[in-house]
C-alpha cells in the first residue's frame, strides 16, 4: 500500500518535472565542474562560490547553472562533463579548476560539440589549436605571459643568473618550461633547477644546492601558501638575492603564512589582485571591484580571490556571447551551441576581471600584456609596481 | 659539488625529519604489535594536531573538537548496543564524558592565551582522543579478523578522516608559531630552535615509552599482548583494553609529532598521510616488531630523503619509497613465515 502510494507520488513528480521542463524550453543550461574538494579545493571553493553570483537571466533568456564537484580528479571531471552534456543537455561547460582535468575534458566537449571555458591555467588546454581545441577557451592567463613579465623585470634589475625551484607537478613543470624559454631569449642564465612538493616538511637540501650555484635571484614556482617554505629556508640559510614568486601565491593565506619572511617578494599577477591600486582609466578596475564587492557582500570581507575571479571571467565571456547566439538559434540545439562558440571566438575587447580579452581563431585566451602586472609584497600587502 | 658544511647541513636536516618519522614509526609498530592493525590514519592525526595548533588564536574554539565529540557519540552508539550496566557507564564516560571534558577544559583555557607550550598541550589534548575512538568504532569489533580485513578497515578510516578533515579545517594550509626563534650556530652547523625541540621531544617520547613498558603494569600488559595475544588472555589480560591503550599511545605520539612539525612547514588537511607513510617505511624495516630498528630506520629514511632532495629533487619520493623494496626482499628471504598469525 505504502509502496504503491510512493510510486504514484514519484510518477506525479516526474510528470510535473517534465511539464516544468517543457514550459522552459528557452532556458540556457550551463554545466559547471569545479574542484570544490581535493588538493585544489582552495582554488575550487571560491570558484564554486562565485556561481551563486552569476546572473539568472541574460538577453531575455533564463539561465540555469548545474554545478558538480570533480574533487580535483581528472576521471571525475570527464565523467561530470559527459553527465552534464548527456543527461542535463547543457549548452556550455565551465571548468575544471585544475589543468590535467581541463585538458582531459577537451576531447569530450569537442566530441559532443559543446563549447567549454576552462578556469585552469595551463596553456596546453587551448594550444596548439586543433579540431578539438576549436571548442575550448580558458580564462586564466597563460604561464608564458607571466614568465615574460618576470623576465622583463629581471632584465630591468640587471639580473644575469637565476636559480629555479618549482612544484613537482604540472604547474612547476609548465613554469620551468616557460621560464627557460623566456630567460634564454633575454640572455639570463638558469644556473640550477630544483623541485619540491606541496607537502614537503623541509626543502633545506634543494636550498643549499641553489645557494651553492650563487644565483642573483631565485624564482619559486608553486601555488597556495606552500611556496613560503623555500623562501623562508633561503633566508634562514643566509641568501640575500632577489626572490620572485609566481601568480600561484597571489592569495591572502600566502601573506598570512609567509609573514615577514616574504617581504620584498616580486611576482606577476592579474590586475584583479590590486584592482584598487589601478588608475581609474583602466577599464578592468570597475569590473574587478564590482565582482569583489558582490562576492564579499555575500561571503564576508577579505574572502574574494583571484581564482574566484577566473570563474567569474568564464561567465563574463559566456554572457558577452549569449545575445548574438540567441539571435541565431534556440537554446538546447546544436545550432545554438555552435553559435555560442562562434560568438565567444569573435569577442573583441571584452573587459574581464583579469584583463581585456580579444579572441581569435588561434588564440582562445585572448589576453595581452594588459592582463598582467608586477607586484611587490610590502608591509604584508600587495603593492603595484609601475 | 658537496663540501663539508653542506654535508653536515643535509645530515642535520635528515635527522630532524627522521626524528618525526621515528615517532610515527614507533606509533605504527606499537599499534601493529598489539592489535595487528596497520594504523594508516596516523597521518590524519598528525595533520589535525598541526592544524589545530596552528589555528589556536586565543578566540575561536578549535573546530576539531566537533569531530572528537562526534566520533565519541558514534563510538558510544556502536558500543551501547552490547554493553549493559557498569560497562555501559564506563563506555559513556570514555566516549561521551572524556570529549566533553576536553571541550570544557579547552574552551576555558583557550581565551587565557597561556603561550606556546600550553597551545601545544591543547592541540594534543583535542586530537589524541581520536585514535582510541577510532579503535572503538572501527577496529575493536574486528579484533579477531585477519590482518587484511584490519588493513581494509584502516584504509577506510583514513579516507573517512581525510574527508572529514577537509570539512573541519577547510582546504587552506596553515603554519604554526615556532616554539623558539633562537638559532644555535656551531661552526658550520645552523640549528634552528624548532629542530632542537623536535629532537628533544622525540628523545623524551622514546624514553617515556621505554619507561612505560618497563615499569608499569599497563605497559607489561601491552607487551604481553604483543608477544602472544591468546597467551595474554589466558593469564587474565584484557586484550581489548590493551588495544585501547595502544591506540591511546599512538594518538598521543602522532599528535605530538603533528605539533612538532606545525612550525616547520605548511600543513594541509591531507598533508600528514605522506609523513605517516615515511614512518611506515621505517616501521616495515623494523619488521613492524622492533622499536629500535624502526627508529634507526626512520632516521635513515630522513637522511636518505635529504640527500635525494639535494642530488635529484624531482625523484626524491621515488628514491625514498623505492628504498623499501630491497628491505622487503631481504626480509622475505630471511623470514619465510612472518605473515603467520598468532
Amino acid at each position: 500500500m505504502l509502496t504503491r502510494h510512493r510510486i504514484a507520488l514519484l510518477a506525479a513528480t516526474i510528470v510535473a518535472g517534465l511539464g516544468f521542463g517543457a514550459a522552459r524550453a528557452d532556458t540556457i543550461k550551463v554545466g559547471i565542474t569545479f574542484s570544490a574538494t581535493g588538493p585544489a579545493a582552495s582554488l575550487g571553493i571560491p570558484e564554486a562560490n562565485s556561481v551563486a553570483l552569476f546572473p539568472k537571466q541574460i538577453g531575455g533568456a533564463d539561465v540555469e547553472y548545474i554545478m558538480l564537484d570533480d574533487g580535483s580528479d581528472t576521471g571525475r571531471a570527464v565523467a561530470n562533463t559527459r553527465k552534464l552534456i548527456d543527461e542535463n543537455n547543457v549548452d556550455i561547460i565551465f571548468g575544471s579548476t585544475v589543468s590535467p582535468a581541463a585538458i582531459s575534458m577537451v576531447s569530450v566537449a569537442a566530441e559532443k560539440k559543446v563549447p567549454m571555458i576552462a578556469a585552469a591555467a595551463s596553456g596546453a588546454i587551448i594550444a596548439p589549436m586543433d579540431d578539438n581545441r576549436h571548442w575550448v577557451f580558458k580564462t586564466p592567463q597563460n604561464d608564458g605571459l607571466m614568465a615574460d613579465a618576470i623576465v622583463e623585470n629581471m632584465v630591468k634589475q640587471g639580473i644575469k643568473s637565476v636559480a629555479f625551484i618549482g612544484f613537482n607537478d604540472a604547474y612547476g613543470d609548465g613554469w620551468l618550461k616557460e621560464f627557460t624559454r623566456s630567460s634564454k631569449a633575454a640572455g639570463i642564465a638558469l644556473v640550477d633547477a630544483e623541485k619540491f612538493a606541496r607537502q614537503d616538511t623541509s626543502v633545506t637540501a634543494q636550498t643549499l644546492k641553489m645557494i651553492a650555484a650563487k644565483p642573483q635571484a631565485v624564482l619559486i614556482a608553486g601555488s597556495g601558501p606552500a611556496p613560503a617554505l623555500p623562501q623562508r629556508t633561503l633566508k634562514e640559510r643566509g641568501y640575500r638575492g632577489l626572490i620572485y614568486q609566481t601568480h600561484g601565491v597571489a592569495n591572502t593565506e600566502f601573506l598570512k603564512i609567509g609573514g615577514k619572511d616574504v617581504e620584498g617578494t616580486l611576482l606577476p599577477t592579474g590586475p584583479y589582485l590590486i584592482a584598487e591600486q589601478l588608475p581609474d582609466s583602466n577599464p578592468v578596475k570597475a569590473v574587478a571591484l564590482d565582482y569583489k564587492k558582490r562576492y564579499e557582500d555575500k561571503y564576508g570581507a577579505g574572502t574574494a580571490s583571484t581564482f574566484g575571479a577566473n570563474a567569474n571571467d568564464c561567465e563574463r565571456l559566456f554572457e558577452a556571447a549569449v545575445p548574438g547566439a540567441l539571435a541565431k538559434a534556440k537554446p538546447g540545439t546544436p545550432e545554438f551551441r555552435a553559435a555560442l562558440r562562434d560568438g565567444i571566438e569573435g569577442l573583441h575587447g571584452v573587459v574581464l576581471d583579469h584583463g581585456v580579452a580579444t579572441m581569435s581563431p588561434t588564440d582562445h585566451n585572448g589576453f595581452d600584456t594588459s592582463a598582467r602586472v608586477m607586484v611587490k609584497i610590502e608591509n604584508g600587502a600587495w603593492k603595484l609596481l609601475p | 659539488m658537496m663540501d663539508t658544511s653542506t654535508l653536515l647541513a643535509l645530515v642535520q636536516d635528515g635527522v630532524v625529519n627522521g626524528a618525526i618519522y621515528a615517532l610515527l614509526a614507533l606509533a605504527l609498530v606499537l599499534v601493529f604489535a598489539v592489535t595487528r592493525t596497520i594504523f594508516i590514519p596516523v597521518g590524519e592525526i598528525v595533520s589535525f594536531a598541526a592544524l589545530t595548533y596552528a589555528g589556536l588564536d586565543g578566540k575561536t574554539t578549535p573546530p576539531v573538537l566537533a569531530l572528537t565529540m562526534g566520533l565519541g557519540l558514534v563510538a558510544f552508539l556502536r558500543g551501547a548496543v552490547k554493553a549493559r550496566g557498569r560497562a555501559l557507564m564506563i563506555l559513556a564516560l570514555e566516549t561521551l564524558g572524556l570529549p566533553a571534558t576536553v571541550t570544557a577544559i579547552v574552551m576555558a583555557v583557550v581565551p587565557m592565551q597561556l603561550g606556546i607550550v600550553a597551545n601545544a598541550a591543547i592541540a594534543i589534548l583535542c586530537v589524541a582522543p581520536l585514535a582510541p575512538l577510532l579503535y572503538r568504532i572501527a577496529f575493536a569489533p574486528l579484533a579477531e579478523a585477519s590482518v587484511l580485513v584490519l588493513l581494509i578497515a584502516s584504509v577506510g578510516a583514513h579516507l573517512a578522516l581525510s574527508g572529514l578533515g577537509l570539512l573541519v579545517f577547510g582546504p587552506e594550509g596553515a603554519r604554526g608559531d615556532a616554539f623558539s626563534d633562537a638559532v644555535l650556530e656551531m661552526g658550520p652547523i645552523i640549528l634552528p630552535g624548532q629542530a632542537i625541540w623536535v629532537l628533544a621531544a622525540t628523545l623524551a617520547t622514546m624514553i617515556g615509552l621505554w619507561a612505560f613498558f618497563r615499569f608499569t603494569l599497563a605497559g607489561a600488559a601491552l607487551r604481553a599482548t604483543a608477544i602472544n595475544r591468546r597467551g595474554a588472555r589466558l593469564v587474565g589480560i584484557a586484550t581489548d583494553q590493551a588495544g585501547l591503550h595502544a591506540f591511546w599511545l599512538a594518538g598521543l605520539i602522532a599528535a605530538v609529532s603533528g605539533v612538532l612539525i606545525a612550525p616547520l612547514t605548511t600543513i594541509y588537511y591531507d598533508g600528514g598521510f605522506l609523513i605517516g607513510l615515511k614512518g611506515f617505511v621505517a616501521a616495515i624495516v623494523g619488521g613492524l616488531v622492533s622499536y629500535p630498528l624502526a627508529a634507526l630506520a626512520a632516521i635513515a629514511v630522513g637522511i636518505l630523503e635529504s640527500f635525494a632532495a639535494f642530488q635529484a629533487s624531482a625523484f626524491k619520493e621515488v628514491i625514498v619509497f623505492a628504498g623499501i623494496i630491497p628491505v622487503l626482499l631481504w626480509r622475505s628471504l630471511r623470514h619465510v613465515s612472518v605473515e603467520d598469525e598468532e
Side-chain angles (χ1 to χ4, degrees):
Chain A
M1 197 57 208
L2 193 78
T3 31
R4 194 180 294 167
H5 182 73
R6 207 178 270 174
I7 288 168
L9 199 71
L10 190 69
T13 318
I14 290 170
V15 171
L18 284 175
F20 187 71
R24 294 275 199 102
D26 262 357
T27 305
I28 307 171
K29 288 188 173 179
V30 178
I32 304 172
T33 171
F34 285 145
S35 310
T37 58
S42 61
L43 286 60
I45 288 174
E47 293 178 356
N49 282 344
S50 301
V51 173
L53 308 172
F54 291 172
K56 307 285 178 286
Q57 264 207 333
I58 300 172
D62 289 334
V63 186
E64 183 187 345
Y65 301 95
I66 305 157
M67 182 164 54
L68 301 174
D69 168 31
D70 58 42
S72 318
D73 178 72
T74 303
R76 262 171 75 192
V78 170
N80 283 352
T81 312
R82 288 197 180 280
K83 184 173 150 44
L84 288 165
I85 297 173
D86 291 341
E87 293 178 19
N88 301 98
N89 200 31
V90 299
D91 294 306
I92 187 165
I93 296 277
F94 294 170
S96 169
T97 308
V98 283
S99 295
I103 290 168
S104 306
M105 286 160 60
V106 169
S107 56
V108 183
E111 174 200 325
K112 307 279 184 185
K113 302 203 181 309
V114 173
M116 159 182 156
I117 308 177
S122 170
I125 299 168
I126 50 159
M129 189 48 68
D130 58 16
D131 286 349
N132 283 348
R133 294 188 175 95
H134 180 67
W135 290 90
V136 180
F137 304 84
K138 87 172 170 92
T139 57
Q141 299 87 339
N142 286 323
D143 291 343
L145 189 71
M146 295 300 200
D148 289 343
I150 289 184
V151 168
E152 207 174 274
N153 188 282
M154 284 174 171
V155 169
K156 219 190 277 174
Q157 310 239 21
I159 285 164
K160 291 268 169 264
S161 62
V162 178
F164 174 95
I165 179 164
F167 267 5
N168 201 358
D169 65 7
Y171 186 84
D173 285 348
W175 260 95
L176 181 57
K177 196 172 130 240
E178 289 301 336
F179 183 73
T180 308
R181 170 192 60 76
S182 191
S183 61
K184 211 173 185 176
I188 295 172
L190 186 61
V191 291
D192 187 28
E194 297 295 325
K195 297 280 170 68
F196 76 113
R198 191 174 68 112
Q199 304 98 330
D200 279 356
T201 46
S202 159
V203 290
T204 307
Q206 292 96 317
T207 306
L208 289 169
K209 200 168 174 192
M210 285 196 292
I211 293 176
K214 298 196 169 48
Q216 284 173 286
V218 173
L219 169 60
I220 303 169
S223 59
L229 179 64
Q231 193 160 354
R232 188 160 56 106
T233 313
L234 279 165
K235 285 237 160 113
E236 234 169 56
R237 295 284 156 186
Y239 182 71
R240 297 273 173 269
L242 282 176
I243 295 180
Y244 289 82
Q245 292 268 7
T246 66
H247 57 307
V249 303
N251 53 72
T252 39
E253 283 106 60
F254 176 76
L255 288 182
K256 202 170 74 190
I257 285 173
K260 60 182 190 311
D261 293 327
V262 300
E263 277 293 307
T265 309
L266 297 161
L267 63 138
T269 170
Y272 171 81
L273 186 72
I274 39 78
E276 291 91 346
Q277 299 172 40
L278 292 172
D280 287 337
S281 58
N282 192 323
V284 172
K285 183 171 185 175
V287 170
L289 289 181
D290 169 61
Y291 162 72
K292 191 174 199 166
K293 183 176 177 321
R294 284 187 295 132
Y295 191 98
E296 297 193 342
D297 281 350
K298 193 169 168 75
Y299 299 105
T303 51
S305 77
T306 60
F307 306 113
N310 286 331
N312 195 47
D313 284 350
C314 292
E315 189 281 324
R316 291 188 66 84
L317 283 179
F318 158 73
E319 189 177 340
V322 163
L326 277 175
K328 285 187 194 152
K330 262 180 126 40
T333 61
E335 293 75 25
F336 180 76
R337 291 169 193 161
L340 201 53
R341 192 215 73 84
D342 295 345
I344 299 173
E345 193 175 85
L347 289 177
H348 192 92
V350 190
V351 183
L352 304 179
D353 296 296
H354 276 297
V356 181
T358 295
M359 300 287 178
S360 76
T362 49
D363 181 3
H364 278 190
N365 176 237
F367 280 143
D368 57 12
T369 50
S370 72
R372 93 278 194 282
V373 292
M374 282 301 287
V375 298
K376 186 178 190 176
I377 299 176
E378 265 184 32
N379 303 323
W382 317 104
K383 185 162 178 299
L384 176 65
L385 292 180
Chain B
M1 191 69 212
M2 199 187 294
D3 52 24
T4 328
S5 67
T6 310
L7 192 78
L8 279 174
L10 287 180
V11 170
Q12 174 213 322
D13 185 51
V15 170
V16 172
N17 279 322
I20 300 275
Y21 303 151
L23 282 178
L24 296 178
L26 291 186
L28 287 166
V29 170
L30 170 67
V31 167
F32 185 79
V34 177
T35 68
R36 298 172 307 131
T37 306
I38 293 170
F39 189 41
I40 301 172
V42 79
E44 272 66 46
I45 309 255
V46 172
S47 346
F48 291 3
L51 286 168
T52 303
Y53 171 74
L56 285 174
D57 55 2
K59 292 186 281 288
T60 41
T61 311
V64 76
L65 284 171
L67 187 62
T68 313
M69 300 228 279
L71 276 191
L73 186 65
V74 175
F76 175 74
L77 294 176
R78 186 111 169 56
V81 181
K82 275 191 191 156
R84 290 282 172 274
R86 193 165 160 269
L88 189 67
M89 225 168 70
I90 294 176
L91 180 74
L93 266 180
E94 286 186 11
T95 56
L96 301 177
L98 183 88
T101 317
V102 167
T103 307
I105 295 176
V106 168
M107 282 176 84
V109 171
V110 163
M112 290 190 234
Q113 305 216 28
L114 293 177
I116 278 164
V117 177
N119 279 354
I122 290 173
I124 294 167
L125 197 64
C126 291
V127 175
L130 289 176
L133 290 174
L134 267 185
Y135 172 72
R136 282 186 183 278
I137 296 170
F139 302 112
L142 297 173
E144 303 302 322
S146 69
V147 171
L148 184 64
V149 171
L150 285 166
L151 176 65
I152 294 168
S154 194
V155 171
H158 154 68
L159 292 174
L161 269 193
S162 173
L164 287 170
L166 176 61
L167 205 66
V168 170
F169 295 104
E172 295 90 13
R175 207 179 88 200
D177 294 328
F179 292 4
S180 112
D181 283 329
V183 176
L184 207 65
E185 286 194 44
M186 295 177 291
I189 302 178
I190 306 167
L191 206 55
Q194 189 64 24
I196 300 170
W197 269 97
V198 168
L199 295 175
T202 304
L203 263 181
T205 310
M206 284 179 180
I207 293 169
L209 264 187
W210 173 80
F212 173 74
F213 284 131
R214 185 77 184 76
F215 299 116
T216 68
L217 193 62
L222 278 187
R223 271 196 303 158
T225 315
I227 292 165
N228 190 326
R229 195 178 165 79
R230 198 164 295 158
R233 207 174 298 166
L234 284 175
V235 297
I237 293 170
T239 50
D240 247 20
Q241 278 295 314
L244 194 62
H245 290 158
F247 271 84
W248 256 116
L249 282 175
L252 281 171
I253 296 172
V256 168
S257 356
V259 170
L260 286 173
I261 53 164
L264 290 176
T265 183
T266 313
I267 293 285
Y268 299 83
Y269 72 97
D270 61 348
F273 177 63
L274 207 60
I275 301 168
L277 215 52
K278 284 172 191 157
F280 180 65
V281 170
I284 288 283
V285 175
L288 282 169
V289 286
S290 165
Y291 295 95
L293 254 186
L296 283 178
I299 303 287
V301 167
I303 295 176
L304 174 66
E305 187 183 16
S306 182
F307 278 87
F310 186 85
Q311 293 297 352
S313 55
F315 301 105
K316 189 188 81 172
E317 310 292 11
V318 180
I319 293 169
V320 170
F321 289 116
I324 201 174
I325 294 172
V327 175
L328 284 177
L329 277 176
W330 175 72
R331 288 208 80 91
S332 68
L333 288 177
R334 280 205 48 208
H335 312 267
V336 185
S337 56
V338 198
E339 246 92 318
D340 274 358
E341 281 162 26
E342 299 188 12

